Amino acid sequence: MKNNTYYITTPIYYPSDNFHIGHCYTTVIADCLSRYHKLKGEDVYFLTGSDEHGQKIAERAAAAGKSPKEFVDPIVANAKDLWKALDIEYDRFIRTTDEDHIRCVQRIYEKLYEQGDIYKGYYEGWYCTPCESYWTQSQLVDGKCPDCGREVKLMKEESYFLRLSKYQKQFEEYLESHRDLMQPESRYNEMVNNFLKPGLQDLSVSRTVDKLSWGIPLTFDSNHVSYVWIDALSNYISAMGYLSEDDSLFQTYWPASLHLVGKEIFRFHTIIWPIMLMALGVAEPLKVYGHGWLIIEGGKISKSLGNYKDPRIYIKDYGVDTVRYFLLSEVPFGNDGQFSELLMVQRRNSDLANVLGNLVNRTLTMSNRYLSGKIKKNDVSGAPDASLQAMINDLSVLLEDKMDGLRVDEAIGVILDLLRRSNKYVDETEPWKLGKDPEAKERLESVLYHLLEAIRVSAIALMPFIPETSKRIFEQLNTSAKSYSDMAYGKVDEYQVTANPEILFERIDEKSIGVSEEPKAAEKPVEESKPEITMDDFSKIQLQVGLVKSCKKHPKADKLLISQVDIGDRTVQIVSGIAEHYTPEEFTGKKIIVITNLKPAVLRGETSEGMLLAGSDGKLLEVVSVQDLAPGTKIY
Ligand code: ME8
């Protein structure tokens, strides 16, 4: 097992609607990592798919007058078409309605039930009959249903539970020596402080068929179907044939090298999933990476908000590699980042057209103009050669360092550094002058050879990121030296490049796209400065350090979070418009700065007894926080 293998997964997405650019983000990054490991000669398995059971899909199907399966089939077909358009090279697209998955999930329930890790109990909560939904006490608004505002009643319902609590200690011990499981590291403390320290509750894992019929039937109790996480998470091993007659994939590829997920489902993948596997006696995944969100005009792109275009429109307008390149390079991996069509076009123009495309085009044009496209390796060296050769030879090491550390955006950065250096090399060596000097033919050939080598090695490095472009570059260079071991200077003895170089990326006029969605910096309205104040004015504001003890979403407003904040001598409730930038889990445990003498205000039915300090440039928002000061400390 795990001999030169690499098993990578994306979440299985809900096909409650067509997939959007946020789903493309995770999937393109997973595809890039998968291609990178293949390039290095590893045996890779890449899994993606769809999570098709549950209340929401059942409801949407009913509203459309279809069965759930009839409802999701065209959405899944559409998703597969999108992945094709984006050059996603997966090994399997698993659907939770696939026969082998259903059978595996049933066997997992049976095994856990037989060994006593799933038991029958009662699920208790506040039930809203018209909405057919359970709510916890803290989710209620003024004691009523947060969705429809109607009366709720305390109901008790039979449910099976997974004994998470039994495994807490064993899991904590495991985690001590496997901190690598939770990536990036910053999310480790969040999980430990917010979920493990308060103690794990057993998890409800079934619903009775009268409440939810669109789930996997449990074989030991025909009155129950699976509910949410066991069904979904099991896909990572059901696709490998776990507990089936043919489990050769499982034997070859498990444990997963990397589960790539968005930060909002990190908890399920780093606590519930590892404990489930522990109970099953199956090895833990090696890493789970929780990445940030792509946001659009200050908010998360989401199916329910409907604030997005079909990503295929961008692919059609700008080409698949512009979209892939943007998703892979624009956002510091792990953080939230902005998506807009204008930013995508700007990135294409600045990196793909001006740096990569320009270098390839000018090198091929000069190769044809001065040497009929035939360039041999020679030793006639000049001053800047050594530094360019060193950069070419260092690229694979730098790339490996960034990719193995999952810093995908920085990996693109090191490739761009070589391309920029190469453009500078053209300016330093001035081949157009050498071309006019019959004495300098050999030096000219050496200069062009250096450039072709820089392009070739960069194109190998770019294969996982923009595979179609790399292919076009290899075709124009007419070279077969394109494997990972060819990433070194001097691997080609003689080039005969194409006589008809084609432009790789035309520059796109930024004015031609929907610029209204993203005003340029210069066009942004200038915020007026506030009038001068005295020290006296300022001293009226009481600023203190506050520790966020707990936090939840405002049940009636998507943009608001409600936090309980310890300010030393008391706890205050603060309602703030940061839900599109922080999950409640992420925010809990932060030490923030609070204005504690502000007159309380009521925001969408919830009292806010203060205000927190945060900054925003219109795209990103960051709450001001401190490290060591204790709750209640005054800020001057
Ligand atoms: O959570 N930015 O499915 P889902 C970045 N079925 N990534 C985004 C994004 C955005 N704006 N929007 C979505 C589910 N994603 C479950 C998963 S796994 C066993 C079950 C990506 O359709 C990101 O990977 O809500 C996120 O975690 C996932 O889509 C959520 O997809």
Side-chain angles (χ1 to χ4, degrees), residues 338-359:
Q338 182 81 1
F339 174 81
S340 84
E341 198 166 340
L342 179 63
L343 285 172
M344 186 161 67
V345 167
Q346 284 172 337
R347 176 84 33 197
R348 171 197 166 104
N349 284 347
S350 68
D351 294 4
L352 296 175
N354 290 1
V355 179
L356 173 64
N358 182 29
L359 177 70

PDB file of all heavy atoms in Angstrom, residues 338-359:
ATOM      1  N   GLN A 338     -11.340  37.116  -4.240  1.00  0.00           N
ATOM      2  CA  GLN A 338     -12.394  37.716  -5.054  1.00  0.00           C
ATOM      3  C   GLN A 338     -12.451  37.078  -6.442  1.00  0.00           C
ATOM      4  O   GLN A 338     -11.417  36.828  -7.050  1.00  0.00           O
ATOM      5  CB  GLN A 338     -12.040  39.205  -5.186  1.00  0.00           C
ATOM      6  CG  GLN A 338     -13.009  40.031  -5.939  1.00  0.00           C
ATOM      7  CD  GLN A 338     -14.194  40.438  -5.065  1.00  0.00           C
ATOM      8  OE1 GLN A 338     -14.246  40.098  -3.898  1.00  0.00           O
ATOM      9  NE2 GLN A 338     -15.132  41.147  -5.631  1.00  0.00           N
ATOM     10  N   PHE A 339     -13.653  36.829  -6.927  1.00  0.00           N
ATOM     11  CA  PHE A 339     -13.807  36.419  -8.326  1.00  0.00           C
ATOM     12  C   PHE A 339     -14.562  37.487  -9.093  1.00  0.00           C
ATOM     13  O   PHE A 339     -15.612  37.952  -8.651  1.00  0.00           O
ATOM     14  CB  PHE A 339     -14.594  35.105  -8.437  1.00  0.00           C
ATOM     15  CG  PHE A 339     -14.882  34.763  -9.879  1.00  0.00           C
ATOM     16  CD1 PHE A 339     -13.900  34.151 -10.638  1.00  0.00           C
ATOM     17  CD2 PHE A 339     -16.079  35.118 -10.488  1.00  0.00           C
ATOM     18  CE1 PHE A 339     -14.118  33.885 -11.984  1.00  0.00           C
ATOM     19  CE2 PHE A 339     -16.302  34.858 -11.825  1.00  0.00           C
ATOM     20  CZ  PHE A 339     -15.322  34.234 -12.570  1.00  0.00           C
ATOM     21  N   SER A 340     -14.014  37.902 -10.223  1.00  0.00           N
ATOM     22  CA  SER A 340     -14.824  38.696 -11.153  1.00  0.00           C
ATOM     23  C   SER A 340     -14.243  38.492 -12.550  1.00  0.00           C
ATOM     24  O   SER A 340     -13.077  38.137 -12.711  1.00  0.00           O
ATOM     25  CB  SER A 340     -14.834  40.183 -10.782  1.00  0.00           C
ATOM     26  OG  SER A 340     -13.704  40.814 -11.302  1.00  0.00           O
ATOM     27  N   GLU A 341     -15.079  38.755 -13.524  1.00  0.00           N
ATOM     28  CA  GLU A 341     -14.661  38.575 -14.911  1.00  0.00           C
ATOM     29  C   GLU A 341     -13.508  39.527 -15.237  1.00  0.00           C
ATOM     30  O   GLU A 341     -12.559  39.161 -15.926  1.00  0.00           O
ATOM     31  CB  GLU A 341     -15.865  38.868 -15.808  1.00  0.00           C
ATOM     32  CG  GLU A 341     -15.719  38.314 -17.189  1.00  0.00           C
ATOM     33  CD  GLU A 341     -17.063  38.323 -17.925  1.00  0.00           C
ATOM     34  OE1 GLU A 341     -18.120  38.386 -17.269  1.00  0.00           O
ATOM     35  OE2 GLU A 341     -17.029  38.273 -19.149  1.00  0.00           O
ATOM     36  N   LEU A 342     -13.597  40.743 -14.698  1.00  0.00           N
ATOM     37  CA  LEU A 342     -12.552  41.725 -14.974  1.00  0.00           C
ATOM     38  C   LEU A 342     -11.214  41.274 -14.392  1.00  0.00           C
ATOM     39  O   LEU A 342     -10.176  41.346 -15.057  1.00  0.00           O
ATOM     40  CB  LEU A 342     -12.947  43.092 -14.412  1.00  0.00           C
ATOM     41  CG  LEU A 342     -11.905  44.189 -14.638  1.00  0.00           C
ATOM     42  CD1 LEU A 342     -11.690  44.458 -16.111  1.00  0.00           C
ATOM     43  CD2 LEU A 342     -12.283  45.467 -13.927  1.00  0.00           C
ATOM     44  N   LEU A 343     -11.240  40.785 -13.151  1.00  0.00           N
ATOM     45  CA  LEU A 343      -9.991  40.315 -12.540  1.00  0.00           C
ATOM     46  C   LEU A 343      -9.397  39.174 -13.360  1.00  0.00           C
ATOM     47  O   LEU A 343      -8.186  39.076 -13.531  1.00  0.00           O
ATOM     48  CB  LEU A 343     -10.256  39.822 -11.109  1.00  0.00           C
ATOM     49  CG  LEU A 343     -10.491  40.898 -10.053  1.00  0.00           C
ATOM     50  CD1 LEU A 343     -10.921  40.256  -8.735  1.00  0.00           C
ATOM     51  CD2 LEU A 343      -9.237  41.727  -9.834  1.00  0.00           C
ATOM     52  N   MET A 344     -10.283  38.329 -13.902  1.00  0.00           N
ATOM     53  CA  MET A 344      -9.811  37.189 -14.685  1.00  0.00           C
ATOM     54  C   MET A 344      -9.121  37.683 -15.973  1.00  0.00           C
ATOM     55  O   MET A 344      -8.058  37.203 -16.345  1.00  0.00           O
ATOM     56  CB  MET A 344     -10.994  36.269 -15.005  1.00  0.00           C
ATOM     57  CG  MET A 344     -10.598  34.999 -15.683  1.00  0.00           C
ATOM     58  SD  MET A 344     -11.876  33.755 -15.530  1.00  0.00           S
ATOM     59  CE  MET A 344     -13.145  34.493 -16.495  1.00  0.00           C
ATOM     60  N   VAL A 345      -9.738  38.645 -16.610  1.00  0.00           N
ATOM     61  CA  VAL A 345      -9.168  39.183 -17.854  1.00  0.00           C
ATOM     62  C   VAL A 345      -7.859  39.928 -17.564  1.00  0.00           C
ATOM     63  O   VAL A 345      -6.884  39.821 -18.309  1.00  0.00           O
ATOM     64  CB  VAL A 345     -10.204  40.085 -18.552  1.00  0.00           C
ATOM     65  CG1 VAL A 345      -9.561  40.907 -19.654  1.00  0.00           C
ATOM     66  CG2 VAL A 345     -11.326  39.229 -19.114  1.00  0.00           C
ATOM     67  N   GLN A 346      -7.839  40.648 -16.442  1.00  0.00           N
ATOM     68  CA  GLN A 346      -6.607  41.366 -16.088  1.00  0.00           C
ATOM     69  C   GLN A 346      -5.467  40.388 -15.857  1.00  0.00           C
ATOM     70  O   GLN A 346      -4.336  40.604 -16.273  1.00  0.00           O
ATOM     71  CB  GLN A 346      -6.835  42.211 -14.825  1.00  0.00           C
ATOM     72  CG  GLN A 346      -7.630  43.473 -15.139  1.00  0.00           C
ATOM     73  CD  GLN A 346      -8.054  44.232 -13.891  1.00  0.00           C
ATOM     74  OE1 GLN A 346      -8.144  43.655 -12.806  1.00  0.00           O
ATOM     75  NE2 GLN A 346      -8.336  45.511 -14.053  1.00  0.00           N
ATOM     76  N   ARG A 347      -5.770  39.275 -15.193  1.00  0.00           N
ATOM     77  CA  ARG A 347      -4.748  38.263 -14.908  1.00  0.00           C
ATOM     78  C   ARG A 347      -4.264  37.622 -16.212  1.00  0.00           C
ATOM     79  O   ARG A 347      -3.094  37.375 -16.417  1.00  0.00           O
ATOM     80  CB  ARG A 347      -5.361  37.268 -13.928  1.00  0.00           C
ATOM     81  CG  ARG A 347      -4.600  36.109 -13.529  1.00  0.00           C
ATOM     82  CD  ARG A 347      -3.617  36.120 -12.455  1.00  0.00           C
ATOM     83  NE  ARG A 347      -3.689  36.915 -11.270  1.00  0.00           N
ATOM     84  CZ  ARG A 347      -2.590  37.101 -10.538  1.00  0.00           C
ATOM     85  NH1 ARG A 347      -1.440  36.605 -10.905  1.00  0.00           N
ATOM     86  NH2 ARG A 347      -2.659  37.784  -9.443  1.00  0.00           N
ATOM     87  N   ARG A 348      -5.207  37.388 -17.133  1.00  0.00           N
ATOM     88  CA  ARG A 348      -4.834  36.828 -18.437  1.00  0.00           C
ATOM     89  C   ARG A 348      -3.886  37.789 -19.166  1.00  0.00           C
ATOM     90  O   ARG A 348      -2.852  37.395 -19.676  1.00  0.00           O
ATOM     91  CB  ARG A 348      -6.099  36.602 -19.271  1.00  0.00           C
ATOM     92  CG  ARG A 348      -5.817  36.218 -20.718  1.00  0.00           C
ATOM     93  CD  ARG A 348      -7.060  36.431 -21.566  1.00  0.00           C
ATOM     94  NE  ARG A 348      -6.748  36.396 -22.975  1.00  0.00           N
ATOM     95  CZ  ARG A 348      -7.009  35.386 -23.778  1.00  0.00           C
ATOM     96  NH1 ARG A 348      -7.603  34.322 -23.320  1.00  0.00           N
ATOM     97  NH2 ARG A 348      -6.700  35.443 -25.055  1.00  0.00           N
ATOM     98  N   ASN A 349      -4.282  39.061 -19.188  1.00  0.00           N
ATOM     99  CA  ASN A 349      -3.459  40.030 -19.914  1.00  0.00           C
ATOM    100  C   ASN A 349      -2.072  40.165 -19.287  1.00  0.00           C
ATOM    101  O   ASN A 349      -1.058  40.173 -19.991  1.00  0.00           O
ATOM    102  CB  ASN A 349      -4.143  41.396 -19.930  1.00  0.00           C
ATOM    103  CG  ASN A 349      -5.298  41.432 -20.926  1.00  0.00           C
ATOM    104  OD1 ASN A 349      -5.441  40.529 -21.763  1.00  0.00           O
ATOM    105  ND2 ASN A 349      -6.132  42.455 -20.834  1.00  0.00           N
ATOM    106  N   SER A 350      -2.032  40.274 -17.949  1.00  0.00           N
ATOM    107  CA  SER A 350      -0.744  40.561 -17.309  1.00  0.00           C
ATOM    108  C   SER A 350       0.190  39.361 -17.345  1.00  0.00           C
ATOM    109  O   SER A 350       1.388  39.525 -17.603  1.00  0.00           O
ATOM    110  CB  SER A 350      -0.950  41.033 -15.870  1.00  0.00           C
ATOM    111  OG  SER A 350      -1.433  39.962 -15.090  1.00  0.00           O
ATOM    112  N   ASP A 351      -0.307  38.156 -17.108  1.00  0.00           N
ATOM    113  CA  ASP A 351       0.598  36.999 -16.997  1.00  0.00           C
ATOM    114  C   ASP A 351       0.650  36.174 -18.286  1.00  0.00           C
ATOM    115  O   ASP A 351       1.726  35.850 -18.780  1.00  0.00           O
ATOM    116  CB  ASP A 351       0.138  36.048 -15.866  1.00  0.00           C
ATOM    117  CG  ASP A 351       0.248  36.689 -14.494  1.00  0.00           C
ATOM    118  OD1 ASP A 351       0.605  37.883 -14.417  1.00  0.00           O
ATOM    119  OD2 ASP A 351      -0.042  35.999 -13.498  1.00  0.00           O
ATOM    120  N   LEU A 352      -0.527  35.826 -18.798  1.00  0.00           N
ATOM    121  CA  LEU A 352      -0.540  34.883 -19.924  1.00  0.00           C
ATOM    122  C   LEU A 352      -0.186  35.575 -21.242  1.00  0.00           C
ATOM    123  O   LEU A 352       0.567  35.032 -22.045  1.00  0.00           O
ATOM    124  CB  LEU A 352      -1.903  34.188 -20.013  1.00  0.00           C
ATOM    125  CG  LEU A 352      -2.247  33.303 -18.805  1.00  0.00           C
ATOM    126  CD1 LEU A 352      -3.661  32.740 -18.903  1.00  0.00           C
ATOM    127  CD2 LEU A 352      -1.246  32.153 -18.682  1.00  0.00           C
ATOM    128  N   ALA A 353      -0.731  36.779 -21.464  1.00  0.00           N
ATOM    129  CA  ALA A 353      -0.429  37.471 -22.729  1.00  0.00           C
ATOM    130  C   ALA A 353       0.924  38.188 -22.644  1.00  0.00           C
ATOM    131  O   ALA A 353       1.827  37.928 -23.440  1.00  0.00           O
ATOM    132  CB  ALA A 353      -1.545  38.449 -23.067  1.00  0.00           C
ATOM    133  N   ASN A 354       1.102  39.047 -21.631  1.00  0.00           N
ATOM    134  CA  ASN A 354       2.307  39.893 -21.589  1.00  0.00           C
ATOM    135  C   ASN A 354       3.575  39.129 -21.239  1.00  0.00           C
ATOM    136  O   ASN A 354       4.647  39.473 -21.731  1.00  0.00           O
ATOM    137  CB  ASN A 354       2.140  41.016 -20.554  1.00  0.00           C
ATOM    138  CG  ASN A 354       1.121  42.034 -21.001  1.00  0.00           C
ATOM    139  OD1 ASN A 354       0.528  41.883 -22.069  1.00  0.00           O
ATOM    140  ND2 ASN A 354       0.896  43.054 -20.193  1.00  0.00           N
ATOM    141  N   VAL A 355       3.495  38.142 -20.390  1.00  0.00           N
ATOM    142  CA  VAL A 355       4.714  37.447 -19.960  1.00  0.00           C
ATOM    143  C   VAL A 355       4.922  36.164 -20.772  1.00  0.00           C
ATOM    144  O   VAL A 355       5.873  36.056 -21.538  1.00  0.00           O
ATOM    145  CB  VAL A 355       4.674  37.143 -18.439  1.00  0.00           C
ATOM    146  CG1 VAL A 355       5.948  36.400 -18.032  1.00  0.00           C
ATOM    147  CG2 VAL A 355       4.549  38.433 -17.640  1.00  0.00           C
ATOM    148  N   LEU A 356       4.003  35.203 -20.644  1.00  0.00           N
ATOM    149  CA  LEU A 356       4.206  33.907 -21.311  1.00  0.00           C
ATOM    150  C   LEU A 356       4.077  34.027 -22.835  1.00  0.00           C
ATOM    151  O   LEU A 356       4.992  33.674 -23.587  1.00  0.00           O
ATOM    152  CB  LEU A 356       3.201  32.876 -20.759  1.00  0.00           C
ATOM    153  CG  LEU A 356       3.179  31.523 -21.464  1.00  0.00           C
ATOM    154  CD1 LEU A 356       4.509  30.796 -21.298  1.00  0.00           C
ATOM    155  CD2 LEU A 356       2.041  30.634 -20.940  1.00  0.00           C
ATOM    156  N   GLY A 357       2.932  34.541 -23.285  1.00  0.00           N
ATOM    157  CA  GLY A 357       2.664  34.605 -24.723  1.00  0.00           C
ATOM    158  C   GLY A 357       3.706  35.444 -25.442  1.00  0.00           C
ATOM    159  O   GLY A 357       4.228  35.068 -26.506  1.00  0.00           O
ATOM    160  N   ASN A 358       4.059  36.565 -24.844  1.00  0.00           N
ATOM    161  CA  ASN A 358       5.018  37.473 -25.449  1.00  0.00           C
ATOM    162  C   ASN A 358       6.390  36.810 -25.592  1.00  0.00           C
ATOM    163  O   ASN A 358       7.029  36.878 -26.645  1.00  0.00           O
ATOM    164  CB  ASN A 358       5.101  38.722 -24.552  1.00  0.00           C
ATOM    165  CG  ASN A 358       6.032  39.765 -25.107  1.00  0.00           C
ATOM    166  OD1 ASN A 358       6.209  39.853 -26.317  1.00  0.00           O
ATOM    167  ND2 ASN A 358       6.643  40.538 -24.232  1.00  0.00           N
ATOM    168  N   LEU A 359       6.815  36.102 -24.534  1.00  0.00           N
ATOM    169  CA  LEU A 359       8.124  35.444 -24.579  1.00  0.00           C
ATOM    170  C   LEU A 359       8.159  34.376 -25.676  1.00  0.00           C
ATOM    171  O   LEU A 359       9.102  34.312 -26.472  1.00  0.00           O
ATOM    172  CB  LEU A 359       8.433  34.793 -23.221  1.00  0.00           C
ATOM    173  CG  LEU A 359       9.743  34.018 -23.175  1.00  0.00           C
ATOM    174  CD1 LEU A 359      10.941  34.966 -23.250  1.00  0.00           C
ATOM    175  CD2 LEU A 359       9.837  33.162 -21.917  1.00  0.00           C
TER     176      LEU A 359
END
